[in-house]
Amino acid sequence: MSNRAYNFNAGPAALPLEVLEQAQQQFVDFNGAGMSIMEMSHRSKPYEQVNDQAQALMRKLYGIPDDYEVMFLQGGASTQFAMLPMNLLVPDRPAAYVLTGSWAQKAVKEAQLLGETVLAGSSEADKFNRIPKGAEINVPANAAYLHVTSNETIEGTQYMDYPEVPADVPLIADMSSDIMSRPVDISKFGVIYAGAQKNLGPSGVTIVIMRRDLLERCPKQVPTMLRYDTHAKNGSLYNTPPSFSVYMVQLVLQWIEARGGVEAIARINRDKTKLIYDAIDGSGGFYRGFASPESRSQMNITFRMQDEALEKQFIAESEAQGFVGLKGHRSVGGLRASTYNAVPHESCSALAAFMLDFQRRHG
């Protein structure tokens, strides 16, 4: 399709064209059932097969050990900000958080409503332009868990290495914007969660990967729908799931597998993102990257120009040439290119070329 936009939206974000075309083919009649998957009972065998296959593919592609549950929930990562402390905070053990940007701040704010929290580290003094180094992160030995935001979508920073934690302190990561963009040692984490709408599918479903022993912490006084053990025991089918979103996640996982798996995706992501960072670094200061080089995200490239008028001109001209989503988040301004798994190399190459041409004409 020649009229596809260069989609750099931060989320909901680009989906693979092949996945969209496959969904289009199956939209009205799913596998000869005479109905769309959106019309099916979630108790039917065809849908249960989709649900099970999506979970199995996630396990295979991400190397998820057998002692972890894979759950498909609703409410987005924002619901997880509250659901985590509701289930995993225990008396006399504070929840520890590393403050790295806008999304980490929101996670902390929710946890503070539910129990004692402490900051184990922060880069706020540097305007969140970097991820704190390991030596700067101090986790209380009695912490209920340590929570990190793997990739800050708004500021454009990402953990290169995850913090070490005491033996009985689970590491919890919000991976909403970089899940399955690179290999991860799942066994280092107690919980990984992510909204699907950046790297794994459309909005509507949230993936939670949880070590099974943590399910024993879920207090019985927490409402049924907000308890992890409810969903784990019922295979994510306790109530009506976001069935079409789960189906789309399954197709995206099949697409990742066909491209060579997560390691191959990581190589592709590095190569395409480098094109844009090189345009920034080679501009002689015309473009200025926001994130410190050692913390630069492979998913969200944030940068500024000499003044807001020029940034507005950049947005206007880029939109006229088919680029979408390059305006920075309203809370910080500037410019941002989100280069998630499904953003093609060709889109990043086209953006780098546009940036060079814009600099030539306006520099």
Side-chain angles (χ1 to χ4, degrees), residues 56-123:
L57 258 180
M58 277 219 69
R59 289 185 179 279
K60 175 184 176 183
L61 292 171
Y62 221 22
I64 300 173
D66 291 340
D67 59 335
Y68 284 72
E69 289 286 347
V70 177
M71 292 172 269
F72 297 142
L73 309 184
Q74 301 180 59
S78 295
T79 296
Q80 293 304 307
F81 296 161
M83 195 166 168
L84 276 161
M86 289 173 81
N87 283 267
L88 300 185
L89 259 180
V90 292
D92 303 319
R93 297 186 67 179
Y97 284 75
V98 182
L99 200 58
T100 48
S102 303
W103 291 108
Q105 284 179 315
K106 291 184 177 183
V108 170
K109 185 178 178 182
E110 290 297 288
Q112 288 171 336
L113 298 174
L114 295 159
E116 183 186 355
T117 63
V118 296
L119 291 185
S122 175
S123 57

Coordinates of all heavy atoms in Angstrom, one line a residue, residues 56-123:
A56 N 1.0 -19.1 24.8 CA 2.0 -20.0 24.5 C 3.1 -19.3 23.6 O 4.3 -19.5 23.8 CB 1.5 -21.2 23.7
L57 N 2.7 -18.5 22.7 CA 3.7 -17.8 21.8 C 4.5 -16.8 22.6 O 5.7 -16.6 22.4 CB 3.0 -17.1 20.7 CG 3.0 -17.8 19.3 CD1 2.3 -16.9 18.3 CD2 4.5 -18.0 18.8
M58 N 3.8 -16.1 23.5 CA 4.6 -15.2 24.4 C 5.6 -15.9 25.2 O 6.8 -15.5 25.4 CB 3.6 -14.5 25.4 CG 2.9 -13.3 24.8 SD 2.8 -11.9 25.9 CE 4.5 -11.4 26.1
R59 N 5.3 -17.1 25.8 CA 6.2 -17.9 26.5 C 7.4 -18.3 25.7 O 8.6 -18.2 26.1 CB 5.5 -19.1 27.1 CG 4.5 -18.9 28.2 CD 4.0 -20.2 28.7 NE 3.1 -20.0 29.8 CZ 3.4 -19.7 31.1 NH1 4.7 -19.6 31.4 NH2 2.6 -19.5 32.0
K60 N 7.1 -18.7 24.5 CA 8.2 -19.2 23.6 C 9.1 -18.1 23.2 O 10.3 -18.2 23.3 CB 7.5 -19.9 22.4 CG 8.5 -20.3 21.3 CD 7.8 -20.9 20.1 CE 8.8 -21.2 19.0 NZ 8.0 -21.7 17.8
L61 N 8.5 -17.0 22.7 CA 9.3 -15.9 22.1 C 10.1 -15.1 23.2 O 11.2 -14.6 22.9 CB 8.5 -15.0 21.3 CG 7.8 -15.6 20.0 CD1 6.8 -14.6 19.5 CD2 8.9 -15.9 19.0
Y62 N 9.6 -15.0 24.4 CA 10.2 -14.2 25.4 C 10.9 -15.0 26.4 O 11.5 -14.4 27.4 CB 9.1 -13.4 26.1 CG 9.5 -11.9 26.4 CD1 10.5 -11.3 25.7 CD2 8.8 -11.2 27.4 CE1 10.8 -10.0 26.0 CE2 9.1 -9.9 27.7 CZ 10.1 -9.3 27.0 OH 10.4 -8.0 27.3
G63 N 10.9 -16.3 26.2 CA 11.7 -17.2 27.2 C 11.1 -17.2 28.6 O 11.8 -17.1 29.6
I64 N 9.8 -17.2 28.7 CA 9.1 -17.1 30.0 C 9.2 -18.5 30.7 O 8.7 -19.5 30.2 CB 7.7 -16.6 29.9 CG1 7.7 -15.2 29.2 CG2 7.0 -16.6 31.2 CD1 6.3 -14.7 28.9
P65 N 9.8 -18.5 31.9 CA 9.9 -19.8 32.6 C 8.5 -20.4 33.0 O 7.5 -19.7 33.1 CB 10.7 -19.5 33.8 CG 11.5 -18.2 33.5 CD 10.5 -17.5 32.6
D66 N 8.5 -21.7 33.3 CA 7.2 -22.4 33.6 C 6.6 -21.9 34.9 O 5.4 -22.1 35.1 CB 7.5 -23.9 33.7 CG 7.8 -24.5 32.3 OD1 7.5 -23.8 31.3 OD2 8.4 -25.6 32.3
D67 N 7.4 -21.3 35.8 CA 6.8 -20.9 37.1 C 6.3 -19.5 37.1 O 6.1 -18.8 38.1 CB 7.8 -21.1 38.2 CG 9.1 -20.2 38.0 OD1 9.4 -19.9 36.9 OD2 9.8 -19.9 39.0
Y68 N 6.0 -19.0 35.9 CA 5.4 -17.7 35.7 C 4.0 -17.8 35.0 O 3.8 -18.7 34.1 CB 6.2 -16.8 34.8 CG 7.4 -16.2 35.5 CD1 8.5 -17.0 35.8 CD2 7.5 -14.8 35.8 CE1 9.7 -16.5 36.5 CE2 8.6 -14.3 36.5 CZ 9.7 -15.2 36.8 OH 10.8 -14.6 37.4
E69 N 3.1 -17.0 35.4 CA 1.8 -16.9 34.7 C 1.8 -15.8 33.7 O 2.5 -14.8 33.8 CB 0.7 -16.5 35.7 CG 0.3 -17.6 36.7 CD -0.5 -18.7 36.1 OE1 -1.0 -18.5 34.9 OE2 -0.6 -19.8 36.7
V70 N 1.1 -16.0 32.6 CA 0.9 -15.0 31.6 C -0.5 -14.6 31.5 O -1.4 -15.5 31.3 CB 1.4 -15.5 30.2 CG1 1.1 -14.4 29.1 CG2 2.9 -15.8 30.2
M71 N -0.9 -13.4 31.8 CA -2.3 -13.0 31.9 C -2.6 -11.9 30.9 O -1.7 -11.0 30.7 CB -2.6 -12.5 33.3 CG -2.6 -13.6 34.4 SD -2.7 -13.0 36.1 CE -1.0 -12.8 36.5
F72 N -3.8 -11.9 30.4 CA -4.3 -10.8 29.5 C -5.4 -10.1 30.3 O -6.5 -10.6 30.5 CB -4.8 -11.4 28.2 CG -3.8 -12.1 27.4 CD1 -4.1 -13.2 26.7 CD2 -2.5 -11.6 27.3 CE1 -3.1 -13.9 25.9 CE2 -1.5 -12.2 26.5 CZ -1.9 -13.3 25.8
L73 N -5.1 -8.9 30.7 CA -6.1 -8.1 31.6 C -6.5 -6.9 30.8 O -6.1 -6.5 29.7 CB -5.4 -7.7 32.9 CG -4.8 -8.9 33.7 CD1 -4.2 -8.4 35.0 CD2 -5.7 -10.1 33.9
Q74 N -7.5 -6.1 31.5 CA -8.0 -4.9 30.9 C -7.6 -3.7 31.8 O -7.0 -3.9 32.9 CB -9.5 -5.0 30.8 CG -9.9 -6.1 29.8 CD -11.4 -6.2 29.6 OE1 -12.0 -5.3 29.2 NE2 -11.9 -7.4 29.9
G75 N -7.8 -2.5 31.4 CA -7.5 -1.4 32.2 C -6.2 -0.6 31.9 O -6.0 0.4 32.5
G76 N -5.4 -1.2 31.1 CA -4.1 -0.5 30.7 C -3.1 -0.6 31.9 O -3.4 -1.0 33.0
A77 N -1.9 -0.1 31.6 CA -0.9 -0.1 32.6 C -1.3 0.8 33.8 O -0.9 0.6 34.9 CB 0.4 0.4 32.0
S78 N -2.1 1.8 33.5 CA -2.5 2.8 34.5 C -3.3 2.0 35.6 O -3.2 2.4 36.8 CB -3.4 3.9 33.9 OG -2.6 4.7 33.1
T79 N -4.1 1.0 35.3 CA -4.7 0.2 36.3 C -3.7 -0.6 37.1 O -3.9 -0.8 38.3 CB -5.8 -0.7 35.7 OG1 -6.8 0.1 35.1 CG2 -6.4 -1.6 36.8
Q80 N -2.7 -1.1 36.4 CA -1.6 -1.8 37.1 C -0.9 -1.0 38.2 O -0.4 -1.5 39.2 CB -0.6 -2.4 36.1 CG -1.1 -3.4 35.2 CD -1.7 -4.6 35.9 OE1 -1.1 -5.2 36.8 NE2 -3.0 -4.9 35.6
F81 N -0.8 0.3 38.0 CA -0.2 1.2 39.0 C -0.9 1.0 40.4 O -0.2 1.1 41.4 CB -0.3 2.7 38.6 CG 0.4 3.0 37.3 CD1 0.1 4.2 36.7 CD2 1.4 2.2 36.8 CE1 0.7 4.6 35.5 CE2 2.1 2.6 35.6 CZ 1.7 3.8 35.0
A82 N -2.2 0.8 40.4 CA -2.9 0.5 41.6 C -3.0 -0.9 42.0 O -2.9 -1.3 43.1 CB -4.3 1.2 41.6
M83 N -3.2 -1.8 41.0 CA -3.4 -3.2 41.2 C -2.2 -3.8 41.8 O -2.3 -4.7 42.7 CB -3.8 -3.9 39.9 CG -4.4 -5.3 40.0 SD -5.1 -5.8 38.4 CE -5.4 -7.5 38.7
L84 N -1.0 -3.4 41.4 CA 0.2 -4.0 42.0 C 0.3 -3.8 43.5 O 0.4 -4.8 44.2 CB 1.4 -3.4 41.3 CG 1.9 -4.0 40.0 CD1 2.7 -3.1 39.2 CD2 2.6 -5.3 40.3
P85 N 0.3 -2.5 44.0 CA 0.3 -2.4 45.5 C -0.9 -3.0 46.2 O -0.8 -3.5 47.3 CB 0.4 -0.9 45.7 CG -0.1 -0.3 44.4 CD 0.3 -1.2 43.3
M86 N -2.1 -3.0 45.6 CA -3.2 -3.6 46.2 C -3.0 -5.1 46.5 O -3.4 -5.7 47.5 CB -4.5 -3.5 45.3 CG -5.0 -2.1 45.2 SD -6.4 -2.0 44.0 CE -7.7 -2.6 44.9
N87 N -2.2 -5.8 45.6 CA -2.0 -7.2 45.7 C -0.6 -7.5 46.4 O -0.5 -8.6 47.0 CB -2.0 -7.8 44.3 CG -3.4 -8.0 43.8 OD1 -4.0 -9.1 43.9 ND2 -3.9 -7.0 43.1
L88 N 0.4 -6.7 46.2 CA 1.7 -7.1 46.6 C 2.3 -6.3 47.8 O 3.4 -6.7 48.3 CB 2.7 -7.0 45.4 CG 2.3 -7.9 44.2 CD1 3.4 -7.8 43.1 CD2 2.1 -9.3 44.6
L89 N 1.7 -5.2 48.2 CA 2.2 -4.6 49.4 C 1.8 -5.4 50.6 O 0.7 -5.9 50.7 CB 1.5 -3.2 49.5 CG 2.4 -2.0 49.1 CD1 1.6 -0.7 49.3 CD2 3.7 -2.0 49.9
V90 N 2.7 -5.6 51.5 CA 2.5 -6.4 52.7 C 2.8 -5.5 53.9 O 3.6 -4.5 53.8 CB 3.3 -7.7 52.7 CG1 2.8 -8.6 51.7 CG2 4.8 -7.4 52.6
P91 N 2.2 -5.8 55.1 CA 2.4 -4.9 56.3 C 3.9 -4.8 56.6 O 4.6 -5.8 56.5 CB 1.6 -5.7 57.3 CG 0.6 -6.4 56.6 CD 1.2 -6.8 55.3
D92 N 4.3 -3.6 57.0 CA 5.6 -3.3 57.5 C 6.7 -3.4 56.4 O 7.9 -3.5 56.7 CB 6.0 -4.2 58.7 CG 5.0 -4.0 59.8 OD1 4.6 -2.8 60.1 OD2 4.6 -5.0 60.4
R93 N 6.3 -3.5 55.1 CA 7.3 -3.6 54.0 C 6.9 -2.5 53.0 O 5.8 -2.6 52.4 CB 7.3 -4.9 53.4 CG 7.7 -6.0 54.4 CD 7.9 -7.4 53.6 NE 9.0 -7.4 52.7 CZ 9.4 -8.4 52.0 NH1 8.7 -9.6 52.1 NH2 10.4 -8.3 51.1
P94 N 7.7 -1.5 52.8 CA 7.3 -0.4 51.9 C 7.5 -0.8 50.5 O 8.3 -1.7 50.2 CB 8.3 0.7 52.3 CG 9.5 0.0 52.8 CD 9.0 -1.2 53.5
A95 N 6.8 -0.2 49.6 CA 7.0 -0.3 48.1 C 8.1 0.6 47.7 O 8.0 1.8 48.0 CB 5.7 -0.1 47.4
A96 N 9.1 0.2 47.0 CA 10.2 1.0 46.6 C 10.1 1.3 45.1 O 9.7 0.4 44.3 CB 11.5 0.3 46.9
Y97 N 10.3 2.5 44.7 CA 10.2 3.0 43.3 C 11.4 3.7 42.9 O 12.0 4.5 43.7 CB 8.9 3.9 43.1 CG 7.6 3.1 43.1 CD1 7.1 2.6 44.3 CD2 6.9 2.9 42.0 CE1 5.9 1.9 44.4 CE2 5.7 2.1 42.0 CZ 5.2 1.7 43.2 OH 4.1 0.9 43.2
V98 N 11.8 3.6 41.6 CA 12.8 4.4 41.0 C 12.1 5.4 40.1 O 11.3 5.1 39.2 CB 13.8 3.6 40.2 CG1 14.9 4.5 39.6 CG2 14.4 2.5 41.0
L99 N 12.3 6.7 40.4 CA 11.6 7.8 39.7 C 12.4 8.2 38.5 O 13.5 8.8 38.6 CB 11.4 9.0 40.7 CG 10.3 10.0 40.4 CD1 9.0 9.4 40.3 CD2 10.4 11.1 41.5
T100 N 11.9 8.0 37.3 CA 12.7 8.2 36.1 C 11.9 9.1 35.1 O 12.4 9.4 34.0 CB 13.0 6.9 35.4 OG1 11.9 6.1 35.3 CG2 14.1 6.2 36.2
G101 N 10.7 9.5 35.4 CA 9.9 10.3 34.5 C 8.4 10.3 34.7 O 8.0 9.9 35.8
S102 N 7.7 10.7 33.7 CA 6.3 10.9 33.9 C 5.5 9.7 34.3 O 4.6 9.7 35.1 CB 5.7 11.5 32.6 OG 6.4 12.7 32.2
W103 N 5.8 8.5 33.7 CA 5.1 7.3 34.0 C 5.5 6.7 35.3 O 4.6 6.2 36.1 CB 5.2 6.3 32.9 CG 4.5 6.8 31.6 CD1 5.1 7.2 30.5 CD2 3.1 6.9 31.4 NE1 4.2 7.6 29.6 CE2 2.9 7.5 30.1 CE3 2.0 6.7 32.2 CZ2 1.7 7.7 29.6 CZ3 0.7 6.9 31.7 CH2 0.6 7.5 30.5
A104 N 6.7 6.8 35.7 CA 7.1 6.4 37.0 C 6.4 7.3 38.1 O 6.0 6.8 39.1 CB 8.7 6.5 37.2
Q105 N 6.3 8.6 37.8 CA 5.6 9.4 38.8 C 4.2 9.0 39.0 O 3.7 9.0 40.1 CB 5.7 10.9 38.3 CG 7.0 11.6 38.4 CD 7.0 13.0 37.9 OE1 6.5 13.3 36.8 NE2 7.6 13.9 38.7
K106 N 3.5 8.6 37.9 CA 2.1 8.2 38.0 C 2.0 6.9 38.8 O 1.1 6.7 39.6 CB 1.5 8.1 36.7 CG 1.3 9.4 36.0 CD 0.6 9.3 34.6 CE 0.4 10.6 34.0 NZ -0.4 10.6 32.7
A107 N 3.0 6.0 38.6 CA 3.0 4.7 39.4 C 3.1 5.0 40.9 O 2.5 4.4 41.7 CB 4.1 3.8 38.8
V108 N 4.1 5.9 41.2 CA 4.3 6.2 42.6 C 3.1 6.8 43.2 O 2.7 6.5 44.4 CB 5.5 7.2 42.7 CG1 5.6 7.7 44.2 CG2 6.8 6.5 42.3
K109 N 2.5 7.8 42.5 CA 1.3 8.5 43.0 C 0.2 7.5 43.4 O -0.5 7.6 44.5 CB 0.8 9.5 42.0 CG -0.4 10.3 42.5 CD -0.8 11.3 41.4 CE -1.9 12.2 41.9 NZ -2.4 13.2 40.8
E110 N 0.0 6.5 42.6 CA -1.1 5.5 42.9 C -0.7 4.7 44.1 O -1.5 4.4 45.0 CB -1.3 4.6 41.7 CG -2.0 5.3 40.5 CD -3.4 5.8 40.9 OE1 -4.3 4.9 41.0 OE2 -3.6 7.0 41.0
A111 N 0.6 4.2 44.2 CA 1.0 3.4 45.3 C 0.9 4.1 46.6 O 0.6 3.5 47.6 CB 2.4 3.0 45.1
Q112 N 1.1 5.4 46.6 CA 1.1 6.2 47.8 C -0.3 6.3 48.4 O -0.5 6.5 49.6 CB 1.6 7.7 47.6 CG 3.1 7.8 47.4 CD 3.5 9.1 46.9 OE1 2.8 9.9 46.3 NE2 4.8 9.5 47.1
L113 N -1.4 6.0 47.6 CA -2.7 6.0 48.1 C -3.0 4.7 48.9 O -4.0 4.7 49.6 CB -3.7 6.0 46.9 CG -3.7 7.3 46.0 CD1 -4.6 7.1 44.8 CD2 -4.1 8.5 46.8
L114 N -2.1 3.7 48.7 CA -2.4 2.4 49.2 C -1.5 1.9 50.3 O -1.8 0.9 51.0 CB -2.4 1.4 48.0 CG -3.5 1.6 47.0 CD1 -3.2 1.0 45.7 CD2 -4.9 1.1 47.5
G115 N -0.4 2.6 50.5 CA 0.5 2.1 51.5 C 1.8 2.9 51.5 O 2.0 3.9 50.8
E116 N 2.7 2.5 52.3 CA 4.0 3.2 52.5 C 4.9 3.0 51.2 O 5.0 1.8 50.7 CB 4.8 2.6 53.7 CG 6.1 3.3 53.9 CD 6.9 2.7 55.1 OE1 6.4 1.7 55.7 OE2 8.0 3.2 55.3
T117 N 5.4 4.1 50.7 CA 6.3 4.0 49.6 C 7.6 4.7 49.9 O 7.6 5.7 50.7 CB 5.7 4.6 48.3 OG1 5.4 6.0 48.6 CG2 4.4 3.9 48.0
V118 N 8.7 4.3 49.2 CA 10.0 5.0 49.3 C 10.5 5.1 47.9 O 10.3 4.3 47.1 CB 10.9 4.2 50.2 CG1 10.4 4.2 51.7 CG2 11.2 2.8 49.7
L119 N 11.4 6.2 47.7 CA 12.1 6.4 46.5 C 13.5 5.7 46.6 O 14.3 6.2 47.5 CB 12.2 7.8 46.1 CG 10.9 8.5 45.7 CD1 11.2 10.0 45.2 CD2 10.2 7.8 44.6
A120 N 13.7 4.7 45.8 CA 15.0 4.0 45.9 C 16.0 4.7 45.0 O 17.2 4.5 45.1 CB 14.9 2.6 45.4
G121 N 15.6 5.6 44.1 CA 16.4 6.4 43.2 C 15.6 7.3 42.4 O 14.4 7.2 42.3
S122 N 16.3 8.4 41.9 CA 15.6 9.4 41.1 C 16.5 10.1 40.2 O 17.7 10.4 40.6 CB 14.8 10.4 42.0 OG 14.2 11.4 41.3
S123 N 16.0 10.5 39.0 CA 16.8 11.4 38.1 C 16.1 12.7 37.9 O 16.3 13.4 37.0 CB 17.0 10.7 36.8 OG 15.8 10.3 36.2

